Amino acid sequence: MTRIDDTFVRLKAEGKKAFVAYLMAGDPDVARSLAVMKGLPAAGVDVIELGLPFTDPMADGPTIQLAGQRALDGHMTLGKTLQMVRDFRAGDATTPIVLMGYYNPIYSRGVDRFLAEACEAGIDGLIIVDLPPEEDEELCIPAQKAGLNFIRLATPTTDDKRLPKVLQNTSGFVYYVSITGITGAAAAQATDVGPEVARIKRSTDLPVIVGFGISTPEAARDVARVADGSVVGSAIVKEIASGKPVSEILAFVATLAAGAHSA
């Protein structure tokens, strides 16, 4: 049982849906990024997705691309991202952290070294968007053996023939991408998402969390009603980019969390 597993067991017992928040590590700098991250649990965030900056983020829209570029311009690295997690863990031993990003930085560091450091730092799961199930031996299976959840993305184009392969070695939760395309590109519609979530849940006992295209408390609520929770990324990243005080950013996050939890 990881922190992710424990969190979903608790939420189910409480009759609540999950709220997952994404932020880019080191955007616009480590101090501000860490200050936001430390405030997320008190704002109602159940799981933190921490973006790993990368030069070629193919699944991300302009908002998250720019966040990654700001972080890279500030000399953010995988090593500094892991240190951010350690600094967070110094004050929070329970909130799950999922590292979300691309395989290249991990490959460059070396899988064995990365997994040892990730576990030591306090990461609970990985979402690596450019590693398909056909490459599970590369990172997914070693990560699971190391005690990390490996969370897979399902999309509107994941048909019934493909779905079993996607679910094969997935753990923690399934991340359903509500729209075709990149992050922040369109609004998620609960009426479209509901049948797809139900279809996935017929094939797995894992929670199904929905992300992409959710930017308001109402959308977080509506999507959480038809899933096990909702994810907000681009809308939070925009707040960070605006230069607003951390307290205002966290107040915005709290409204999103309240929306999801009211489902």
Side-chain angles (χ1 to χ4, degrees):
M1 292 284 285
T2 65
R3 292 184 186 94
I4 297 169
D5 300 323
D6 289 343
T7 294
F8 282 105
V9 168
R10 174 181 59 78
L11 289 168
K12 187 174 183 179
E14 295 172 356
K16 289 174 67 177
K17 300 300 180 72
F19 180 66
V20 182
Y22 171 98
L23 77 162
M24 179 66 72
D27 173 36
D29 55 59
V30 172
R32 184 168 163 84
S33 183
L34 183 59
V36 173
M37 187 180 179
K38 286 181 175 180
L40 293 177
V45 173
D46 300 300
V47 179
I48 296 171
E49 280 183 16
L50 186 63
L52 178 60
F54 182 53
T55 53
D56 189 23
M58 64 189 76
D60 294 313
T63 298
I64 292 179
Q65 285 188 24
L66 288 169
Q69 193 58 54
R70 287 191 296 270
L72 291 171
D73 288 345
H75 307 292
M76 195 60 178
T77 63
L78 174 54
K80 291 178 182 178
T81 300
L82 293 170
Q83 187 57 49
M84 255 187 80
V85 175
R86 293 186 192 97
D87 293 342
F88 176 88
R89 284 281 174 238
D92 186 318
T94 57
T95 303
I97 299 172
V98 175
L99 190 67
M100 185 170 186
Y102 300 84
Y103 184 46
N104 186 278
I106 295 169
Y107 176 80
S108 297
R109 200 169 190 84
V111 167
D112 291 344
R113 177 187 175 189
F114 165 75
L115 291 175
E117 291 176 338
C119 291
E120 175 268 325
I123 288 170
D124 304 289
L126 303 174
I127 300 175
I128 307 300
V129 300
D130 56 347
L131 272 184
E134 287 75 13
E135 305 296 336
D136 275 356
E137 294 289 344
E138 192 80 20
L139 180 63
C140 172
I141 291 171
Q144 306 249 38
K145 287 179 179 176
L148 297 174
N149 289 128
F150 199 89
I151 297 145
R152 191 83 67 191
L153 302 177
T155 74
T157 59
T158 305
D159 59 20
D160 289 339
K161 183 179 179 181
R162 179 67 174 167
L163 185 60
K165 190 73 174 176
V166 169
L167 297 175
Q168 181 175 275
N169 291 310
T170 299
S171 64
F173 59 89
V174 179
Y175 188 131
Y176 179 68
V177 176
S178 65
I179 57 172
T180 53
I182 54 177
T183 58
Q189 301 297 326
T191 52
D192 297 330
V193 168
E196 290 299 299
V197 170
R199 180 172 69 91
I200 295 167
K201 289 180 76 67
R202 287 194 292 270
S203 298
T204 182
D205 293 329
L206 291 171
V208 180
I209 308 302
V210 177
F212 285 49
I214 302 169
S215 60
T216 67
E218 295 75 21
R221 176 200 64 208
D222 292 346
V223 167
R225 282 176 175 165
V226 298
D228 295 302
S230 53
V231 185
V232 177
S234 293
I236 295 171
V237 171
K238 283 180 182 176
E239 292 289 303
I240 294 170
S242 72
K244 291 178 181 176
V246 169
S247 59
E248 288 187 26
I249 296 166
L250 294 173
F252 172 68
V253 173
T255 68
L256 298 167
H261 290 151
S262 70

